[in-house]
Amino acid sequence: MTQYLADTTRHPHTSDQPAATADWWRDAVIYQVYPRSFADGNGDGMGDLPGIRERLPYLRDLGVDAVWLSPFYASPQADAGYDVADYRAVDPMFGTLHDADGLIRDAHRLGLRIIVDLVPNHTSDQHEWFKQAVSEGPGSPLRQRYHFRPGKGAGGELPPNDWESVFGGPAWTRAADGEWYLHLFAPEQPDLNWEHPAVQDEFRSILRFWLDMGVDGFRIDVAHGLVKADGLPDIGAHEQLKLLGNDVLPFFDQDGVHEIYRSWRRILDEYSPSHSPNLRPGALPGARIAVAEAWTPTVERTANYVRSDELHQAFNFQYLATRWDAAELRAVIDRSLDAMRPVAAPTTWVLSNHDVVRHATRLSSDGKTYDVRRARAASLLMLALPGSAYVYQGEELGLPEVTDLPDELRQDPAFFRAAGQDGFRDGCRVPIPWTSEGPSHGFGSGGSWLPQPESWARLSVAEQTGDPASTLELYRAALRLRRELPGLGAGESVRWEDAPEGVLSFLRPGFVCTVNTTSEPVTLPVPGALSLASSAVEITATGVVVPADTTVWWAV
Ligand code: GLC
């Protein structure tokens, strides 16, 4: 008997059954919306808040718990909105504050929580503070909110130290008056000086602004970067980002960042319902949370960000960076769970986001070919692990990375600063196909700011809906089971079972997950009742044949 999927009847959660506990975030599935590329409400080729608002029922039916929105604030878009000019305003290309308010309210009515992106490491060079810092000149107190320094060399013509920008080139740019300012990312993204009390006060106020708007949490951009080592010391090496895996850099993962997060946690707790008699009508109960984007040398150092008086979650980039290899996956899963256990924080799992090659391409044997079969297996493995999982828009459609974008259409600032490399970030940011026909495949009534491949028609939401073999229905079924099967997502460990080389098998309460990472089918004893499989499995009198690159969930 060949079986593909067990019953895929949809039971989306509705507002009368939200994940309503204070601890909703511990096993939440959080869906990342990249606002430029999700849905275009006004037909100008660029996604926007009204577009997202219209599509919220899709996310409710998919079965996610929360939606994280990448930045939609006023911004000149030098880094797709991660260069914020006004933290309390919506950029006109995305809509208005009124649209943001409506989106938050609609989401809550559907039982979905909203997490917004906070960008505290740097502002835009068009932020009022930076414009003042530049115009006031050297020695002005208004300059102290950023890192301005005189240069080295006889005429100050050399940067103040040897730090390199994450996007390539020196991390310093010289202002017209001769002083240099620090930017760990693009020159249009000057780093704030977090030693300055005004910077600290401003961000506490921004947190309150969005909490008052009703958001349920924040994703903290570059959470590891805010504090720089005293004296901004030289590193003495090139390709500094490669050192990140081995060492703490003077601009990343400094111990001083933790004091900032302790003060933010107090604010988040204040807004968590048991403390807030003034919770706005329609808000969902439960904690207001923050998740750190913290690139650190080890998972143990990542755990420092989620101690009980700091942030709630941190992205598990060590997991994202792991190859499709059973032994390596098992090791990173154990290490991640072990690291979080002492601080009692949930582990997070993530395979794709707006900064990395989509996992339907990245996990293939050469890292460049579309391998949706493997991606589906990886996704089912991720969704079986205890803790919280992050889903990047379009991965539920099995979208590949777009690898052939013409150079003239690219917008990733990293592309322009480091010529001759590939793997840049526009290829994972191409707008979502909603329908097989129509301009921009239903993304909007106009075009789309990055062209969608023709082949995406058959990957559209409309084409996949109702097809039990589709990746979309696989995600819907997996997320429904996550809600229904006690134990899936909960807990803080997995129990490994004996399995042949290249195969992973682990037990959770009421549930077994089997993963064949090899390129050959394997025959195994049947551990229970088939719940879901990422590709067709065959159950015979002697066992189950699990094909290559396949994950299977069993109820036991
Ligand atoms: C984070 C964002 C990335 C952005 C960078 C600078 O890594 O995820 O998209 O370019 O921060 O803000």
Side-chain angles (χ1 to χ4, degrees):
M1 179 182 50
T2 298
Q3 292 198 9
Y4 203 82
L5 307 173
D7 173 32
T8 56
T9 321
R10 283 160 50 192
H11 297 289
H13 68 294
T14 53
S15 48
D16 52 312
Q17 21 168 214
T21 66
D23 280 351
W24 64 270
W25 49 279
R26 289 193 163 267
D27 61 356
V29 177
I30 301 178
Y31 185 97
Q32 180 186 359
V33 163
Y34 195 63
R36 326 176 123 225
S37 304
F38 190 65
D40 173 13
N42 64 3
D44 66 354
M46 186 61 75
D48 48 38
L49 298 185
I52 299 168
R53 205 172 157 189
E54 271 168 40
R55 299 286 186 183
L56 287 173
Y58 166 78
L59 298 176
R60 187 266 323 267
D61 292 350
L62 181 60
V64 300
D65 302 289
V67 179
W68 148 34
L69 299 163
S70 280
F72 50 79
Y73 315 110
S75 160
Q77 305 288 320
D79 184 19
Y82 282 96
D83 49 320
V84 181
D86 183 347
Y87 291 85
R88 297 179 185 81
V90 172
D91 196 281
M93 73 187 248
F94 293 124
T96 62
L97 265 187
H98 182 71
D99 295 326
D101 178 66
L103 193 158
I104 295 164
R105 285 177 197 273
D106 283 1
H108 287 166
R109 265 195 290 277
L110 295 172
L112 293 167
R113 295 167 201 271
I114 294 288
I115 292 174
V116 293
D117 222 305
L118 187 71
V119 189
N121 180 67
H122 43 264
T123 67
S124 160
D125 63 349
Q126 297 306 307
H127 189 283
E128 214 39 56
W129 281 10
F130 192 72
K131 290 201 283 193
Q132 287 169 347
V134 170
S135 65
E136 296 278 321
S140 157
L142 295 181
R143 241 173 214 210
Q144 288 164 15
R145 296 189 290 209
Y146 294 89
H147 296 279
F148 277 86
R149 294 285 185 283
K152 286 188 175 159
E157 71 286 359
L158 297 172
N161 71 16
D162 68 355
W163 295 2
E164 291 169 2
S165 152
V166 173
F167 292 158
W172 296 89
T173 288
R174 199 169 192 191
D177 54 46
E179 279 202 340
W180 296 73
Y181 67 89
L182 176 69
H183 53 86
L184 293 183
F185 294 87
E188 297 87 351
Q189 294 168 295
D191 278 51
L192 285 163
N193 172 15
W194 272 87
E195 304 295 329
H196 199 299
V199 173
Q200 299 180 8
D201 286 350
E202 173 65 356
F203 275 86
R204 284 194 285 257
S205 157
I206 294 165
L207 282 175
R208 288 182 188 282
F209 177 86
W210 287 101
L211 287 163
D212 287 336
M213 285 279 290
V215 303
D216 302 282
F218 299 88
R219 177 259 188 193
I220 313 300
D221 188 63
V222 196
H224 53 302
L226 277 47
V227 171
K228 278 71 181 177
D230 279 348
L232 311 183
D234 277 338
I235 293 175
H238 286 298
E239 303 207 297
Q240 292 162 2
L241 286 183
K242 292 196 182 147
L243 301 174
L244 190 56
N246 311 311
D247 221 339
V248 177
L249 293 168
F251 50 76
F252 276 166
D253 199 26
Q254 293 288 308
D255 289 336
V257 294
H258 298 291
E259 201 45 51
I260 299 168
Y261 300 132
R262 286 190 197 102
S263 87
W264 291 7
R265 178 60 179 260
R266 289 194 287 274
I267 295 174
L268 292 166
D269 285 351
E270 228 181 86
Y271 278 82
S272 297
S274 58
H275 299 88
S276 174
N278 300 326
L279 196 66
R280 69 184 224 163
L284 295 180
R288 304 295 178 257
I289 67 147
V291 50
E293 184 211 23
W295 293 88
T296 68
T298 60
V299 274
E300 290 72 23
R301 285 197 70 91
T302 304
N304 289 339
Y305 290 74
V306 291
R307 289 175 283 200
S308 60
D309 58 349
E310 296 194 36
L311 305 179
H312 297 73
Q313 297 182 343
F315 292 114
N316 185 347
F317 293 123
Q318 279 83 6
Y319 184 69
L320 183 149
T322 303
R323 294 186 310 146
W324 184 242
D325 174 278
E328 290 182 27
L329 285 165
R330 177 172 170 164
V332 75
I333 291 167
D334 279 342
R335 260 201 337 271
S336 307
L337 292 165
D338 289 348
M340 294 300 146
R341 211 171 290 117
V343 292
T347 309
T348 65
W349 312 100
V350 57
L351 291 169
S352 282
N353 65 33
H354 65 295
D355 290 330
V356 298
V357 173
R358 283 188 175 277
H359 71 273
T361 302
R362 193 187 69 240
L363 291 178
S364 66
S365 43
D366 64 358
K368 294 181 176 156
T369 319
Y370 183 40
D371 190 345
V372 70
R373 180 188 183 87
R374 203 175 259 190
R376 290 162 57 100
S379 300
L380 266 203
L381 164 59
M382 170 176 84
L383 292 172
L385 294 169
S388 177
Y390 280 80
V391 172
Y392 176 51
Q393 65 175 41
E395 74 173 67
E396 80 279 19
L397 304 176
L399 294 186
E401 181 79 0
V402 179
T403 50
D404 56 358
L405 286 170
D407 287 358
E408 63 274 15
L409 295 181
R410 286 177 186 270
Q411 300 208 6
D412 181 356
F415 177 76
F416 300 101
R417 282 177 65 85
Q421 298 174 33
D422 57 8
F424 288 111
R425 302 174 299 170
D426 295 307
C428 63
R429 298 175 176 181
V430 174
I432 297 299
W434 292 91
T435 54
S436 55
E437 313 217 322
S440 64
H441 297 305
F443 166 65
S445 56
S448 71
W449 68 278
L450 286 173
Q452 300 152 313
E454 261 318 301
S455 58
W456 281 22
R458 65 181 170 77
L459 294 177
S460 66
V461 172
E463 285 290 308
Q464 296 198 38
T465 296
D467 173 0
S470 73
T471 303
L472 177 56
E473 293 298 352
L474 180 73
Y475 268 76
R476 285 177 172 157
L479 295 179
R480 177 172 55 78
L481 283 167
R482 238 181 110 98
R483 286 172 180 277
E484 287 173 2
L485 279 183
L488 243 183
E492 51 181 36
S493 55
V494 298
R495 203 178 90 202
W496 298 103
E497 314 256 271
D498 288 342
E501 203 181 327
V503 175
L504 296 174
S505 179
F506 57 89
L507 185 69
R508 315 279 323 289
F511 173 78
V512 166
C513 178
T514 310
V515 189
N516 178 9
T517 68
T518 72
S519 46
E520 301 297 329
V522 287
T523 303
L524 303 167
V526 176
L530 177 71
S531 292
L532 195 58
S534 66
S535 42
V537 298
E538 196 177 340
I539 297 176
T540 66
T542 53
V544 54
V545 183
V546 180
D549 294 329
T550 297
T551 297
V552 191
W553 290 6
W554 308 92
V556 295

